Amino acid sequence: MFITCCPLILASASPRRREFLTRLGLEFSIVPAAIDESCDPAESPWNFARRMAATKAKAVAETKPAACVLGADTVVALDGRIFGKPKSPEEALAMLTTLQGRTHQVITGFAIVARTRNIDEVGAVTTKVTFGTFAEPILQAYVASGEPMDKAGAYGIQGIGSFLVDSISGSCSNVVGLPVHAVVRALLDRALLRAE
């Protein structure tokens, strides 16, 4: 459906982001960025997501100046606190327990860097997600499935974790890991993408 106007590189190893780009019919390569993903305690989730996306894209663009590099970073936030990927099943359960019955934000920062075209753009999209409430054994069973362990906020809306979600307001693809509408619009506006 779409064709890139210069080599496209995804600066992420995320299988979900890769799947989105593949569905659009894009040809691209994957070069995960090796960066420090530490969060400054004073940094807002919005700023953190944008900074991580930009840092990833710029790190890869340094070695691939002729390419268009797409970086992205997704965070789950509640009351200004970032919920990253859980480090243990216990942490995953604690995250899910905290999030249930409440509305949190999923923020995906994205960056598009094309050095030879002088393009350096950063954006972010926020989606509000409201969880239902479940008894602890149900949350424990979900954690035991293993799905929460590589997901920000300890759940995957595109998988088993969809049962947790009562409602969403905003982009669904953003919750999965890439605000497809915003990214495609940015690529089209910068003449980095065209319809085939």
mmCIF file of all heavy atoms in Angstrom, residues 153-175:
data_model
loop_
_atom_site.group_PDB
_atom_site.id
_atom_site.type_symbol
_atom_site.label_atom_id
_atom_site.label_comp_id
_atom_site.label_asym_id
_atom_site.label_seq_id
_atom_site.Cartn_x
_atom_site.Cartn_y
_atom_site.Cartn_z
ATOM 1 N N GLY A 153 3.906 -1.931 31.809
ATOM 2 C CA GLY A 153 2.660 -2.000 32.561
ATOM 3 C C GLY A 153 2.192 -3.407 32.847
ATOM 4 O O GLY A 153 1.150 -3.615 33.457
ATOM 5 N N ALA A 154 2.946 -4.406 32.394
ATOM 6 C CA ALA A 154 2.677 -5.825 32.665
ATOM 7 C C ALA A 154 1.412 -6.359 31.991
ATOM 8 O O ALA A 154 0.765 -7.271 32.502
ATOM 9 C CB ALA A 154 2.629 -6.097 34.179
ATOM 10 N N TYR A 155 1.060 -5.795 30.824
ATOM 11 C CA TYR A 155 -0.069 -6.384 30.091
ATOM 12 C C TYR A 155 0.074 -6.104 28.603
ATOM 13 O O TYR A 155 0.741 -5.166 28.195
ATOM 14 C CB TYR A 155 -1.412 -5.831 30.596
ATOM 15 C CG TYR A 155 -1.729 -4.417 30.154
ATOM 16 C CD1 TYR A 155 -2.546 -4.170 29.061
ATOM 17 C CD2 TYR A 155 -1.210 -3.316 30.844
ATOM 18 C CE1 TYR A 155 -2.843 -2.875 28.651
ATOM 19 C CE2 TYR A 155 -1.510 -2.015 30.450
ATOM 20 C CZ TYR A 155 -2.325 -1.798 29.352
ATOM 21 O OH TYR A 155 -2.613 -0.518 28.949
ATOM 22 N N GLY A 156 -0.568 -6.967 27.811
ATOM 23 C CA GLY A 156 -0.588 -6.804 26.366
ATOM 24 C C GLY A 156 -2.034 -6.727 25.895
ATOM 25 O O GLY A 156 -2.760 -7.720 25.975
ATOM 26 N N ILE A 157 -2.453 -5.563 25.420
ATOM 27 C CA ILE A 157 -3.851 -5.389 24.998
ATOM 28 C C ILE A 157 -4.160 -6.229 23.762
ATOM 29 O O ILE A 157 -5.312 -6.581 23.508
ATOM 30 C CB ILE A 157 -4.162 -3.894 24.749
ATOM 31 C CG1 ILE A 157 -5.676 -3.661 24.682
ATOM 32 C CG2 ILE A 157 -3.463 -3.402 23.484
ATOM 33 C CD1 ILE A 157 -6.078 -2.203 24.655
ATOM 34 N N GLN A 158 -3.127 -6.581 22.989
ATOM 35 C CA GLN A 158 -3.334 -7.352 21.772
ATOM 36 C C GLN A 158 -3.348 -8.854 22.044
ATOM 37 O O GLN A 158 -3.565 -9.644 21.141
ATOM 38 C CB GLN A 158 -2.241 -7.035 20.739
ATOM 39 C CG GLN A 158 -0.883 -7.633 21.041
ATOM 40 C CD GLN A 158 -0.102 -6.880 22.117
ATOM 41 O OE1 GLN A 158 -0.604 -5.967 22.769
ATOM 42 N NE2 GLN A 158 1.140 -7.259 22.324
ATOM 43 N N GLY A 159 -3.139 -9.243 23.297
ATOM 44 C CA GLY A 159 -3.085 -10.660 23.641
ATOM 45 C C GLY A 159 -4.115 -11.021 24.707
ATOM 46 O O GLY A 159 -5.224 -10.472 24.743
ATOM 47 N N ILE A 160 -3.709 -11.924 25.598
ATOM 48 C CA ILE A 160 -4.592 -12.363 26.676
ATOM 49 C C ILE A 160 -5.024 -11.187 27.538
ATOM 50 O O ILE A 160 -6.149 -11.122 28.021
ATOM 51 C CB ILE A 160 -3.874 -13.418 27.560
ATOM 52 C CG1 ILE A 160 -3.384 -14.576 26.716
ATOM 53 C CG2 ILE A 160 -4.793 -13.911 28.674
ATOM 54 C CD1 ILE A 160 -2.393 -15.481 27.433
ATOM 55 N N GLY A 161 -4.119 -10.239 27.713
ATOM 56 C CA GLY A 161 -4.378 -9.092 28.582
ATOM 57 C C GLY A 161 -5.529 -8.211 28.145
ATOM 58 O O GLY A 161 -5.932 -7.310 28.895
ATOM 59 N N SER A 162 -6.095 -8.463 26.977
ATOM 60 C CA SER A 162 -7.228 -7.657 26.528
ATOM 61 C C SER A 162 -8.408 -7.766 27.494
ATOM 62 O O SER A 162 -9.222 -6.835 27.584
ATOM 63 C CB SER A 162 -7.658 -8.070 25.119
ATOM 64 O OG SER A 162 -8.071 -9.426 25.101
ATOM 65 N N PHE A 163 -8.494 -8.865 28.242
ATOM 66 C CA PHE A 163 -9.620 -9.029 29.168
ATOM 67 C C PHE A 163 -9.578 -8.017 30.309
ATOM 68 O O PHE A 163 -10.600 -7.706 30.931
ATOM 69 C CB PHE A 163 -9.668 -10.461 29.731
ATOM 70 C CG PHE A 163 -8.746 -10.706 30.899
ATOM 71 C CD1 PHE A 163 -9.181 -10.513 32.200
ATOM 72 C CD2 PHE A 163 -7.442 -11.140 30.695
ATOM 73 C CE1 PHE A 163 -8.331 -10.747 33.287
ATOM 74 C CE2 PHE A 163 -6.584 -11.380 31.756
ATOM 75 C CZ PHE A 163 -7.032 -11.179 33.060
ATOM 76 N N LEU A 164 -8.396 -7.461 30.592
ATOM 77 C CA LEU A 164 -8.249 -6.492 31.679
ATOM 78 C C LEU A 164 -8.878 -5.151 31.344
ATOM 79 O O LEU A 164 -9.253 -4.389 32.238
ATOM 80 C CB LEU A 164 -6.756 -6.270 31.973
ATOM 81 C CG LEU A 164 -5.948 -7.461 32.472
ATOM 82 C CD1 LEU A 164 -4.459 -7.178 32.335
ATOM 83 C CD2 LEU A 164 -6.313 -7.771 33.917
ATOM 84 N N VAL A 165 -8.969 -4.847 30.046
ATOM 85 C CA VAL A 165 -9.327 -3.507 29.597
ATOM 86 C C VAL A 165 -10.839 -3.335 29.479
ATOM 87 O O VAL A 165 -11.496 -4.009 28.688
ATOM 88 C CB VAL A 165 -8.651 -3.198 28.242
ATOM 89 C CG1 VAL A 165 -9.047 -1.807 27.754
ATOM 90 C CG2 VAL A 165 -7.137 -3.310 28.364
ATOM 91 N N ASP A 166 -11.365 -2.404 30.266
ATOM 92 C CA ASP A 166 -12.786 -2.083 30.207
ATOM 93 C C ASP A 166 -13.061 -1.130 29.053
ATOM 94 O O ASP A 166 -14.038 -1.287 28.322
ATOM 95 C CB ASP A 166 -13.230 -1.453 31.534
ATOM 96 C CG ASP A 166 -14.695 -1.056 31.522
ATOM 97 O OD1 ASP A 166 -15.539 -1.924 31.267
ATOM 98 O OD2 ASP A 166 -14.990 0.134 31.735
ATOM 99 N N SER A 167 -12.179 -0.124 28.868
ATOM 100 C CA SER A 167 -12.375 0.828 27.774
ATOM 101 C C SER A 167 -11.075 1.541 27.462
ATOM 102 O O SER A 167 -10.152 1.576 28.286
ATOM 103 C CB SER A 167 -13.453 1.859 28.134
ATOM 104 O OG SER A 167 -13.026 2.650 29.233
ATOM 105 N N ILE A 168 -11.015 2.087 26.239
ATOM 106 C CA ILE A 168 -9.876 2.927 25.884
ATOM 107 C C ILE A 168 -10.394 4.193 25.211
ATOM 108 O O ILE A 168 -11.467 4.189 24.613
ATOM 109 C CB ILE A 168 -8.848 2.223 24.964
ATOM 110 C CG1 ILE A 168 -9.400 2.029 23.556
ATOM 111 C CG2 ILE A 168 -8.371 0.912 25.549
ATOM 112 C CD1 ILE A 168 -8.323 1.648 22.545
ATOM 113 N N SER A 169 -9.626 5.253 25.344
ATOM 114 C CA SER A 169 -9.938 6.512 24.677
ATOM 115 C C SER A 169 -8.691 6.954 23.935
ATOM 116 O O SER A 169 -7.685 7.310 24.553
ATOM 117 C CB SER A 169 -10.350 7.577 25.704
ATOM 118 O OG SER A 169 -10.566 8.823 25.069
ATOM 119 N N GLY A 170 -8.747 6.872 22.602
ATOM 120 C CA GLY A 170 -7.589 7.220 21.797
ATOM 121 C C GLY A 170 -7.160 6.080 20.903
ATOM 122 O O GLY A 170 -7.919 5.141 20.658
ATOM 123 N N SER A 171 -5.935 6.156 20.436
ATOM 124 C CA SER A 171 -5.398 5.189 19.483
ATOM 125 C C SER A 171 -5.146 3.828 20.122
ATOM 126 O O SER A 171 -4.413 3.721 21.099
ATOM 127 C CB SER A 171 -4.073 5.726 18.912
ATOM 128 O OG SER A 171 -3.377 4.707 18.225
ATOM 129 N N CYS A 172 -5.751 2.789 19.528
ATOM 130 C CA CYS A 172 -5.528 1.425 20.014
ATOM 131 C C CYS A 172 -4.126 0.950 19.649
ATOM 132 O O CYS A 172 -3.446 0.321 20.447
ATOM 133 C CB CYS A 172 -6.582 0.485 19.439
ATOM 134 S SG CYS A 172 -6.462 -1.190 20.091
ATOM 135 N N SER A 173 -3.667 1.278 18.430
ATOM 136 C CA SER A 173 -2.330 0.830 18.019
ATOM 137 C C SER A 173 -1.250 1.444 18.908
ATOM 138 O O SER A 173 -0.197 0.849 19.130
ATOM 139 C CB SER A 173 -2.062 1.169 16.546
ATOM 140 O OG SER A 173 -1.907 2.564 16.342
ATOM 141 N N ASN A 174 -1.530 2.617 19.452
ATOM 142 C CA ASN A 174 -0.600 3.267 20.366
ATOM 143 C C ASN A 174 -0.372 2.414 21.606
ATOM 144 O O ASN A 174 0.754 2.324 22.112
ATOM 145 C CB ASN A 174 -1.156 4.639 20.770
ATOM 146 C CG ASN A 174 -0.188 5.438 21.606
ATOM 147 O OD1 ASN A 174 0.957 5.642 21.217
ATOM 148 N ND2 ASN A 174 -0.638 5.879 22.764
ATOM 149 N N VAL A 175 -1.434 1.781 22.096
ATOM 150 C CA VAL A 175 -1.324 0.938 23.289
ATOM 151 C C VAL A 175 -0.488 -0.298 22.991
ATOM 152 O O VAL A 175 0.227 -0.804 23.846
ATOM 153 C CB VAL A 175 -2.726 0.542 23.818
ATOM 154 C CG1 VAL A 175 -2.617 -0.268 25.099
ATOM 155 C CG2 VAL A 175 -3.582 1.781 24.059
#
